[in-house]
Structures are given as C-alpha cells and as structure tokens.
Amino acid sequence: MNWEPWTGCYKVSDGCTNCYFYGPYARQYGQNTILKTDKFDWPIRKNKKGEYNIKGDKILATCFATDFFLPEADAWRGEIWAMIKERTDIDFLILTKRIDRFLVSLPSDWGAGYDNVNIGCTVENQQLANYRLPLFLSYPIKRRFIACSPLLETIDLTPYLHGVEHVTAGGETGRDARECDFEWVLNIREQCQKANITFWFKNTGSLFRRNGIVEKINPFKQTSIAKELGIDISDGKKLF
C-alpha cells in the first residue's frame, strides 16, 4: 500500500533524470509544485463505527512518488509524524534522496527513532553512496534500508552495511532509461550475503544487460522478470 500525503517533486541528483513519475516522459512531468493530496490524513481516517479504514499489521510505503523530506513540506510534516506515532500498528516505509535534511525534519520526541518507521536512503552511483550513506548511518534511526535505484553503475556498499536491515536494487524505467547491468546487481547481492542482510532485486529496468546482451524490457514485466531470476535473499519476512 502507498500513502502519498503530498504530490510534486523535482530533480535533486542524477537518479532523478528519468524519474518514472516526474521524468520527461512521465505523466506528472513538470509538476514541481508541492501540494497536499486528498489522502493527507489517510492513515487516521475512520469509518462510521469509529474504526480505522486502514487496518493494522500493514506496510505503508510513504512518499514513494515524491520525497518525504522536501523542504516545501516542512510545514505539514509535523502532522504526518503525529499520524505515524498514532498508528503504531502500521510499519511506515520512508524512502528519500534527501537524507541530508533528516535532522532538521524530525519531531521533538523522535529520540532514537520510532519503532514503526523504516527509513530508506536511495543511492544510484558510488559518488552518492559515499556522500549519503555516512550521513544516513550517523543519524538516530532504529530501522534502515538502502535502495540502489535506479542502479546506474557498480556500487560498493561494504563500508555502509553495518546497522542496515535490507537492500533493494532496481533498474531505471522509461523511454530514455540507462542500462542496468545484472553483474552490478549480483555484486550487491554478494555484499548483502556476506553482511547477512536481506536483499531484493525489485526490477530489471527498461534496458537490462545480462550475459553481454542488452534486452529491452516491457515496463509491466520488469518486476516479474527480476523475481524469476531467483536471487532475492529473504529471512521469511515480506520483502519490500
């Protein structure tokens, strides 16, 4: 399930160039005005019986089509944190390319972190891994994951896997998508295996290089093909 309390975004790094949602061939291209959505208070909405519309024991991907830490959303984020704190029966996944805004965006009672919040830091190349991940690891977060998406080159995550629960990897989707090389994916998987953490190959991307051959993959088949390759590392829990 996805929760998008606001909409709109804009480029912050190389991985944003062909964004599946806001890139030049995406349906929301040019929508860089940050606005609340009609689902802003979705997790705490109740039915006539006074029960939450969204039942507990769910994983709720939060701001996966925008960025949780956009400065334009600073005025609203306090309300979001309050909803997250109220719904302790839901696991909230927050994925960001703006991890450098983490400390200025926290609620006053954050402490070492909320138990039901899993923060994901996106890295698309080695340069950004070396910049973002030391910051990421220095912050008070109880549950962390790394998303190598879109994966644009081979990345060495080895120095940054301590304290991380999970890594995902995926290629770039779109008309101008850059290649995702299966060897890069396998290399990250090997790093995760050695660090004894879970790994999920989320999608191949539109241009997938394997065994020296570049295949053009239909957007609707990228996730299933990645799954069929059978390289995920699971601990029995649902991979996200």
Side-chain angles (χ1 to χ4, degrees):
M1 298 177 66
N2 283 59
W3 176 35
E4 306 298 334
W6 48 79
T7 187
C9 204
Y10 48 86
K11 181 177 178 179
V12 71
S13 63
D14 193 32
C16 305
T17 300
N18 300 308
C19 176
Y20 75 99
F21 207 78
Y22 294 106
Y25 299 106
R27 55 188 175 130
Q28 298 293 328
Y29 179 65
Q31 207 294 77
N32 55 13
T33 301
I34 315 305
L35 301 169
K36 282 186 180 181
T37 69
D38 60 2
K39 285 192 172 182
F40 185 80
D41 63 345
W42 195 37
I44 60 168
R45 287 183 190 172
K46 296 181 178 180
N47 58 28
K48 293 180 180 179
K49 295 181 180 179
E51 302 167 334
Y52 290 119
N53 288 327
I54 301 178
K55 305 305 179 185
D57 196 28
K58 295 284 195 304
I59 295 175
L60 200 57
T62 303
C63 289
F64 271 43
T66 176
D67 198 302
F68 189 82
F69 296 109
L70 282 167
E72 291 82 358
D74 285 354
W76 311 322
R77 199 173 297 104
E79 295 176 73
I80 300 301
W81 284 126
M83 295 180 219
I84 289 172
K85 187 177 180 181
E86 178 177 336
R87 293 303 308 270
T88 56
D89 56 337
I90 291 176
D91 281 340
F92 293 86
L93 304 185
I94 296 173
L95 181 62
T96 184
K97 284 185 171 67
R98 293 170 172 83
I99 198 64
D100 53 339
R101 298 202 74 251
F102 181 77
L103 289 181
V104 300
S105 304
L106 293 180
S108 59
D109 64 350
W110 177 259
Y114 292 168
D115 291 335
N116 64 330
V117 174
N118 197 322
I119 303 289
C121 182
T122 297
V123 296
E124 54 262 46
N125 55 38
Q126 191 67 54
Q127 180 183 7
L128 287 167
N130 292 343
Y131 169 66
R132 290 177 182 157
L133 295 181
L135 292 174
F136 183 46
L137 294 173
S138 73
Y139 297 148
I141 301 170
K142 288 187 175 179
R143 302 169 63 191
R144 313 170 200 261
F145 70 100
I146 296 171
C148 301
S149 180
L151 182 59
L152 301 178
E153 64 180 29
T154 186
I155 302 178
D156 181 12
L157 297 176
T158 305
Y160 311 117
L161 292 179
H162 57 282
V164 171
E165 292 184 2
H166 179 71
V167 174
T168 70
E172 188 171 53
T173 297
R175 192 181 300 183
D176 287 338
R178 290 159 285 188
E179 287 183 16
C180 176
D181 194 316
F182 192 41
E183 291 300 317
W184 306 340
V185 178
L186 291 174
N187 182 256
I188 291 174
R189 180 190 188 276
E190 183 179 0
Q191 295 171 47
C192 292
Q193 195 169 33
K194 289 179 179 178
N196 196 32
I197 61 176
T198 57
F199 170 80
W200 180 30
F201 183 28
K202 184 180 179 182
N203 69 292
T204 63
S206 294
L207 292 179
F208 186 46
R209 179 180 290 276
R210 184 168 48 136
N211 299 325
I213 299 172
V214 178
E215 302 174 72
K216 189 172 183 179
I217 310 294
N218 184 298
F220 298 103
K221 295 182 178 180
Q222 292 172 20
T223 299
S224 61
I225 290 175
K227 183 177 181 179
E228 287 167 6
L229 289 168
I231 65 168
D232 296 339
I233 302 173
S234 173
D235 57 3
K237 298 177 184 177
K238 183 177 180 181
L239 297 177
F240 48 82

